[in-house]
């Protein structure tokens, strides 16, 4: 069996229907096969003891790998068209975001998000956490209006035309909030409002990036770029 990581909240010894289905139908596990189970706090090497379904396992050995950035990293991202937020959630999870907060902004084309879409984004976060070896699945929250963003200890807002670079202003030891606008960009007064809350406008280079590329570029500079 290929190495597999199964999300199992509480490491209870029983897999969910979804995880059992994957192990049985895709990976074709047998009793005695080993795989990794994880939840928000723990990770362990496990062995299949009963195919069920649901699949039951026993824990052989607990592990505590360090896969988190070390500070809270909140990504505020404007509502985007189609499936683009899915791309953002997947990449942001891999890049270490601890919370993803969609924003309703002046130029966002979608102005709301249905319950089904939110659930799908949360599932994407779980899958991306599994794939990237993270124990902590980032929260993906229902959208809020931009004016409801709280004051932040350290914030960076990606803004076309800003002159400061991330490396000039980033303090890697402080909790971090990042903001990225929609396809049509932030309105100037929205950038001013974010500045009032503690965000510094930063450039992501000379080219105009798609919003989803910008979100991941900004995160990568703050996490992967710092070796975290
Ligand atoms: N015409 C829009 C504007 O001038 O803001 C373009 C918006 S861009 C497609 C979507 C979002 O990505 C922007 O609101 C910004 O947050 C981010 N972005 C894209 N390229 C950027 C760059 N070169 N520097 C900083 N932020 C950028």
């Amino acid at each position: 069996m290929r190495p597999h990581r199964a999300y199992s909240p509480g490491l209870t010894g029983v897999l969910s229907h979804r995880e059992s289905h994957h192990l049985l139908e895709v990976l074709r596990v047998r009793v005695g096969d080993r795989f990794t189970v994880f939840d928000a706090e723990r990770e362990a090497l496990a062995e299949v003891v009963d195919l069920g379904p649901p699949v039951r396992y026993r824990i052989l050995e607990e592990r505590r790998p360090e896969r988190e950035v070390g500070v809270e990293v909140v990504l505020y991202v404007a509502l985007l068209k189609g499936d683009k937020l899915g791309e953002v959630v997947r990449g942001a999870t891999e890049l270490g975001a601890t919370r993803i907060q969609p924003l309703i902004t002046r130029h966002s084309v979608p102005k709301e998000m249905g319950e089904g879409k939110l659930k799908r984004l949360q599932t994407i976060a779980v899958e991306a956490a599994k794939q990237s070896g993270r124990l902590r699945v980032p929260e993906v929250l229902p959208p809020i209006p931009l004016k409801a963003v709280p004051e932040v200890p350290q914030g960076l807002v990606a803004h076309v035309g800003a002159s400061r670079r991330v490396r000039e202003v980033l303090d890697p030891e402080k909790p971090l909030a990042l903001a990225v606008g929609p396809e049509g960009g932030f309105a100037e007064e929205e950038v001013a409002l974010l500045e009032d809350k503690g965000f510094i406008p930063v450039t992501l280079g000379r080219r105009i990036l798609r919003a989803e590329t910008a979100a991941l570029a900004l995160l990568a500079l703050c996490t992967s770029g710092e070796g975290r």
Side-chain angles (χ1 to χ4, degrees):
M1 179 179 122
R2 283 184 287 135
H4 177 68
R5 288 170 51 79
Y7 182 56
S8 180
L11 270 54
T12 53
V14 186
L15 291 184
S16 66
H17 173 74
R18 185 187 172 88
E19 293 288 358
S20 296
H21 177 82
H22 188 73
L23 259 76
L24 294 170
E25 304 301 326
V26 181
L27 301 172
R28 307 263 174 213
V29 293
R30 297 171 181 207
V31 170
D33 281 350
R34 293 178 175 193
F35 63 106
T36 300
V37 281
F38 76 103
D39 70 4
E41 279 134 34
R42 295 185 297 159
E43 179 177 302
L45 179 66
E47 180 181 73
V48 176
V49 292
D50 187 331
L51 296 180
V55 169
R56 291 178 186 276
Y57 62 86
R58 76 183 174 97
I59 288 177
L60 299 175
E61 179 190 304
E62 281 219 26
R63 306 169 184 149
R64 291 196 180 269
E66 189 44 85
R67 296 258 162 73
E68 295 305 311
V69 170
V71 293
E72 292 297 303
V73 181
V74 182
L75 175 65
Y76 292 96
V77 56
L79 286 179
L80 302 174
K81 289 191 235 166
D83 264 352
K84 292 173 183 171
L85 271 189
E87 255 182 73
V88 172
V89 167
R90 179 173 291 107
T93 303
E94 291 172 25
L95 289 164
T98 53
R99 194 178 336 140
I100 299 162
Q101 174 62 74
L103 292 180
I104 303 159
T105 69
R106 167 87 64 87
H107 299 310
S108 303
V109 174
K111 296 287 185 201
E112 57 182 19
M113 184 195 291
E115 186 66 19
K117 180 150 189 173
L118 180 62
K119 283 225 161 66
R120 211 179 66 74
L121 294 178
Q122 289 164 338
T123 304
I124 290 174
V126 171
E127 294 299 327
K130 277 166 62 174
Q131 186 273 326
S132 58
R134 285 186 72 180
L135 300 185
R136 180 166 174 188
V137 178
E139 283 178 279
V140 184
L141 299 168
I144 56 168
L146 181 128
K147 63 177 189 308
V149 173
E151 285 196 12
V152 295
Q154 170 174 229
L156 305 177
V157 49
H159 190 45
V160 175
S163 55
R164 276 174 287 188
R165 298 174 198 184
V166 170
R167 67 166 186 260
E168 292 165 6
V169 292
L170 177 70
D171 178 349
E173 304 307 322
K174 270 171 99 175
L176 181 60
L178 304 172
V180 175
E183 292 87 349
F186 284 125
E188 286 305 327
E189 63 269 26
E190 290 179 322
V191 177
L193 199 139
L194 288 171
E195 286 186 274
D196 287 346
K197 310 268 183 172
F199 286 79
I200 299 171
V202 289
T203 178
L204 293 173
R206 295 172 180 159
R207 294 149 301 281
I208 311 261
L209 309 179
R210 288 182 302 149
E212 57 275 32
T213 309
L216 303 187
L218 181 57
L219 259 164
L221 287 169
C222 298
T223 61
S224 306
E226 294 292 314
R228 300 181 302 162

